[in-house]
């Protein structure tokens, strides 16, 4: 059996290595590749993804998995080898349900669609992406149909990124959360607007990036096993557990852009860098779901990186980096500015509370498109109508409307947005448990020390990679299933103080 297990591991390692080579090409495409490289790059990515798919779906893997059933059954559920076999089987069954030709077609289409989006967005040209999005919708529906037996067509797409979650349960969680958030936003909107002018001066990019780097190094991000580069739409990517990269973008006149995209992506990277090194190039060697991943990015970006105690410590350092720009600001003003609640048009610029309303709009529109109730040509109007009703604003153009996010232009329509709000909910649930287990965490943050928190997360969440499903992990770490209560407690305490509620 040991031989069969190592044969399985070897085959999967080869498949993951090809997949990592494709990720490297994709990283290059969004950071340094000149525009002339696009045609060939689409073809190259399609070839690598096809090869990886062939490796992952080789019938010999199916045979090995079958032969290992008895061996797996004799091991405890959380043993590394049992978990390796279990997760490998889940992934194998998923992958063998989708033909390689289909995957290659989707990959090639995504490359073209992404490239068109980078041209269409600055030109406010929705018409030019309509055929791309129509094809994406058709392919997304076809992809879901490879998994018959779902109750909602979005279920299989959600299950890819958040295993175990269903459209119906996400809808229920979101509707309960929305009931609480809408009145909260209403009350805050009735208060005098927060002055956030201290965020807007000329902040040279190099110094912004350098400051962000010192912060995430203190969080525990290991630059010997990572690096940071610039891109349009920040992301984290991994080529091995020893090479976990992040990207960022900056704005000269808004210091919050680079700072919080850096702390956000670093949160994702800390998760991947913290995975048990024995899980390298295996089905266990990545974060367990997009919701749990977002819980980590948001925990570091928001719960830590936008907290009062964090800025009481770090503001004097920021001020000495930008003495002229910040000379008249205080730590308290800065803290209020970075937590300004405001109805706005751009998801990635939104505050912690309204952010969820942006996500819910996209989630609902995805469902309507998949259900066939919303044709792509009517999407801008539907988008604008929802912004009017939920946030009281109408985008002046599609640049700040329906063209703002990359997701539908580089992946499926459906299954892409729910993870952000699930992440906000889970981040608060994990953090509340961390504070109970380790009451010194906050005193650490107040002095710029994050080791106790980082170790707690590594021990309870990071190291396990994909060994546990999100439901298993949340239950195991917090003793409860996913619940919105800690998140609501967190928001009410923080914003109650900020806005005298
Ligand atoms: Zn993220």
């Amino acid at each position: 059996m040991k031989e069969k297990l190592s044969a399985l591991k070897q085959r999967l390692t080869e498949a993951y290595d090809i997949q990592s080579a494709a990720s490297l090409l994709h990283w290059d495409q969004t950071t340094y590749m000149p525009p002339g490289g696009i045609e060939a790059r689409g073809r190259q990515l399609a070839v690598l993804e096809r090869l990886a798919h062939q490796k992952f779906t080789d019938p010999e893997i199916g045979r090995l998995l079958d032969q290992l059933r008895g061996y797996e059954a004799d091991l405890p559920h959380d043993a590394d080898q049992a978990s390796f076999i279990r997760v490998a089987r889940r992934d194998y069954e998923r992958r063998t349900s989708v033909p390689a030709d289909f995957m290659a077609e989707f990959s090639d289409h995504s490359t073209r669609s992404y490239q068109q989006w980078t041209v269409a967005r600055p030109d406010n040209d929705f018409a030019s992406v309509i055929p791309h999005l129509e094809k994406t919708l058709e392919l997304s529906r076809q992809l879901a149909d490879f998994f018959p037996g779902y109750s909602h067509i979005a279920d299989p797409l959600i299950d890819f990124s958040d295993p175990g979650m269903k459209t119906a349960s996400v809808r229920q969680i979101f509707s309960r959360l929305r009931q609480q958030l809408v009145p909260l936003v209403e009350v805050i909107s009735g208060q005098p607007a927060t002055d956030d002018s201290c965020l807007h001066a000329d902040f040279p990019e190099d110094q912004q990036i350098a400051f962000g780097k010192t912060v995430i190094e203190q969080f525990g991000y290991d630059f010997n096993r990572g690096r940071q580069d610039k891109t349009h739409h920040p992301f984290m990517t991994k080529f091995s557990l020893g090479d976990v990269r992040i990207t960022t973008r900056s704005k000269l006149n808004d210091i919050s852009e680079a700072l919080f995209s850096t702390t956000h992506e670093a949160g994702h990277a800390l998760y991947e860098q913290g995975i048990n090194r024995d899980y390298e190039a295996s089905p266990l060697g990545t974060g367990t779901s997009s919701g749990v991943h977002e819980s980590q990015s948001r925990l570091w970006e928001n719960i830590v990186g936008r907290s009062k105690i964090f800025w009481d410590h770090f503001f004097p350092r920021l001020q000495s980096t930008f003495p002229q720009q910040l000379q008249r600001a205080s730590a308290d003003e800065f803290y209020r500015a970075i937590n300004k609640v405001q109805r706005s048009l751009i998801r990635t610029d939104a505050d912690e509370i309204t952010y969820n309303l942006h996500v819910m709009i996209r989630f609902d529109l995805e469902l309507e498109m998949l259900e066939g109730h919303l044709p792509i040509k009517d999407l801008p109007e539907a988008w604008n109508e929802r912004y009017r009703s939920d946030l009281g604003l109408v985008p002046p153009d599609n640049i700040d409307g329906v063209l703002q996010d990359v997701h539908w232009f580089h992946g499926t329509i459906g299954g892409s947005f729910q993870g952000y709000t699930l992440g906000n909910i889970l981040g608060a649930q994990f953090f509340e448990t961390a504070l109970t287990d380790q009451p010194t965490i906050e005193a650490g943050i107040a002095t710029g020390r994050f080791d106790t928190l980082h170790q707690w997360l590594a021990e309870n969440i990071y190291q396990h990679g994909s060994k546990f499903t999100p439901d298993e992990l949340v239950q195991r770490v917090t003793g409860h299933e996913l619940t919105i209560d800690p998140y609501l407690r967190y928001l009410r305490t923080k914003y109650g103080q900020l806005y005298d509620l």
Side-chain angles (χ1 to χ4, degrees):
M1 281 303 146
K2 297 259 180 223
E3 270 169 41
K4 293 196 193 312
L5 188 62
S6 83
L8 177 63
K9 279 187 177 161
Q10 198 185 336
R11 280 173 180 275
L12 286 173
T13 298
E14 274 183 30
Y16 280 106
D17 285 345
I18 296 171
Q19 195 179 59
S20 295
S23 300
L24 179 56
L25 288 190
H26 179 252
W27 170 85
D28 173 73
Q29 181 186 326
T30 55
T31 49
Y32 296 107
M33 190 187 78
I38 190 60
E39 281 297 319
R41 185 54 49 89
R43 201 177 63 230
Q44 293 154 353
L45 275 166
V47 170
L48 284 182
E49 273 156 29
R50 176 188 288 266
L51 278 175
H53 188 77
Q54 278 168 7
K55 291 266 179 199
F56 277 123
T57 55
D58 189 325
E60 182 57 20
I61 289 183
R63 279 191 285 278
L64 288 165
L65 284 168
D66 273 344
Q67 289 161 356
L68 286 161
R69 270 182 206 278
Y71 178 74
E72 179 195 354
D74 290 340
L75 294 168
H77 179 81
D78 64 352
D80 278 357
Q81 292 183 340
S83 303
F84 173 86
I85 298 165
R86 179 178 66 250
V87 179
R89 181 176 292 113
R90 179 195 73 189
D91 291 354
Y92 179 77
E93 284 168 1
R94 248 186 216 162
R95 287 187 170 112
T96 50
S97 304
V98 185
D101 284 348
F102 178 85
M103 291 306 291
E105 187 191 357
F106 209 142
S107 164
D108 195 43
H109 168 69
S110 290
T111 305
R112 288 162 202 277
S113 175
Y114 172 80
Q115 197 61 21
Q116 187 57 41
W117 172 73
T118 63
V119 179
R121 188 175 178 219
D123 287 351
N124 189 30
D125 181 9
F126 184 76
S128 76
V129 299
I130 290 176
H132 293 85
L133 284 177
E134 282 174 343
K135 178 97 189 272
T136 305
L137 181 60
E138 185 193 315
L139 291 171
S140 303
R141 296 180 57 91
Q142 284 175 26
L143 182 60
D145 283 336
F146 290 121
F147 302 86
Y150 53 73
S151 350
H152 189 283
I153 189 164
D155 283 353
L157 306 174
I158 291 173
D159 195 71
F160 291 139
S161 48
D162 291 290
M165 300 298 292
K166 299 266 188 289
T167 308
S169 56
V170 177
R171 262 183 170 149
Q172 197 190 11
I173 292 162
F174 282 9
S175 107
R176 288 183 48 222
L177 187 60
R178 189 200 304 245
Q179 280 169 19
Q180 305 293 320
L181 294 187
V182 169
L184 190 57
V185 173
E186 193 66 48
V187 174
I188 292 174
S189 299
Q191 304 264 37
T194 306
D195 177 9
D196 65 353
S197 56
C198 61
L199 305 179
H200 306 288
D202 282 357
F203 296 100
E205 179 178 62
D206 290 353
Q207 284 158 275
Q208 288 194 49
I209 303 269
F211 184 83
K213 279 187 173 174
T214 64
V215 169
I216 62 173
E217 254 178 335
Q218 281 178 259
F219 283 175
Y221 179 76
D222 181 358
F223 274 96
N224 288 318
R225 295 196 288 135
R227 55 177 286 130
Q228 186 182 43
D229 297 271
K230 286 186 280 175
T231 191
H232 291 292
H233 196 99
F235 63 97
M236 181 277 304
T237 187
K238 179 187 67 175
F239 313 129
S240 71
L241 295 175
D243 189 353
V244 183
R245 302 189 190 184
I246 57 176
T247 57
T248 190
R249 67 178 166 201
S250 63
K251 277 188 194 156
L252 180 67
N253 68 346
D254 182 356
I255 197 172
S256 58
E257 181 79 27
L259 189 59
F260 293 109
S261 82
T262 298
T263 50
H264 179 95
E265 299 308 330
H268 284 300
L270 286 166
Y271 188 3
E272 296 285 325
Q273 285 188 337
I275 292 172
N276 185 338
R277 299 295 284 270
D278 294 343
Y279 299 168
E280 176 79 283
S282 91
L284 303 182
T286 191
T288 190
S289 72
S290 89
V292 174
H293 239 299
E294 283 302 315
S295 78
Q296 297 314 300
S297 54
R298 272 135 214 287
L299 190 154
W300 287 104
E301 178 197 352
N302 292 332
I303 300 178
V304 174
R306 289 183 206 262
S307 67
K308 180 87 170 73
I309 51 176
F310 178 93
W311 284 106
D312 282 343
H313 175 79
F314 276 96
F315 185 73
R317 284 155 184 78
L318 188 68
Q319 205 171 27
S320 66
T321 309
F322 300 106
Q324 277 182 321
Q325 296 90 330
L326 293 174
Q327 65 179 341
R328 280 200 297 272
S330 68
D332 189 60
E333 279 164 27
F334 187 80
Y335 168 67
R336 288 174 184 278
I338 58 171
N339 288 295
K340 178 180 185 175
V341 176
Q342 187 180 28
R343 292 165 163 154
S344 68
L345 294 171
I346 307 289
R347 176 184 61 89
T348 53
D349 294 343
D351 58 85
E352 281 181 277
I353 302 180
T354 59
Y355 189 94
N356 301 294
L357 301 175
H358 292 265
V359 170
M360 291 171 190
I361 289 173
R362 287 153 179 76
F363 180 74
D364 289 343
L365 292 175
E366 283 182 337
L367 298 187
E368 282 181 54
M369 285 189 273
L370 286 165
E371 287 162 0
H373 298 145
L374 175 59
I376 299 292
K377 66 172 177 47
D378 297 338
L379 183 57
E381 209 186 304
W383 179 285
N384 294 349
E385 187 43 47
R386 276 296 298 267
Y387 268 80
R388 191 196 328 263
S389 67
D390 290 20
L391 287 150
L393 298 164
V394 183
D397 52 36
N398 292 320
I399 300 173
D400 289 340
V402 69
L403 287 174
Q404 70 181 263
D405 290 314
V406 68
H407 304 61
W408 293 335
F409 301 94
H410 201 267
T412 52
I413 291 177
S416 18
F417 283 105
Q418 76 287 335
Y420 295 122
T421 285
L422 293 174
N424 284 334
I425 296 166
L426 285 171
Q429 193 173 348
F430 288 137
F431 192 72
E432 200 177 82
T433 308
L435 292 186
T436 309
D437 287 0
Q438 297 287 351
T440 62
I441 284 173
E442 285 188 318
I445 296 173
T447 54
R449 291 184 58 97
F450 305 96
D451 43 346
T452 311
L453 174 60
H454 185 210
Q455 272 163 26
W456 186 91
L457 293 166
E459 209 173 294
N460 287 280
I461 298 168
Y462 300 168
Q463 64 157 328
H464 299 304
S466 292
K467 182 189 263 191
F468 303 110
T469 65
D471 286 348
E472 287 170 346
L473 187 72
V474 176
Q475 188 70 45
R476 196 186 143 94
V477 175
T478 70
H480 297 279
E481 57 186 19
L482 183 148
T483 156
I484 61 172
D485 298 339
Y487 184 48
L488 290 171
R489 274 196 285 277
Y490 160 75
L491 290 178
R492 291 215 173 96
T493 306
K494 177 173 174 178
Y495 291 91
Q497 283 162 2
L498 272 164
Y499 285 93
D500 272 334
L501 304 179

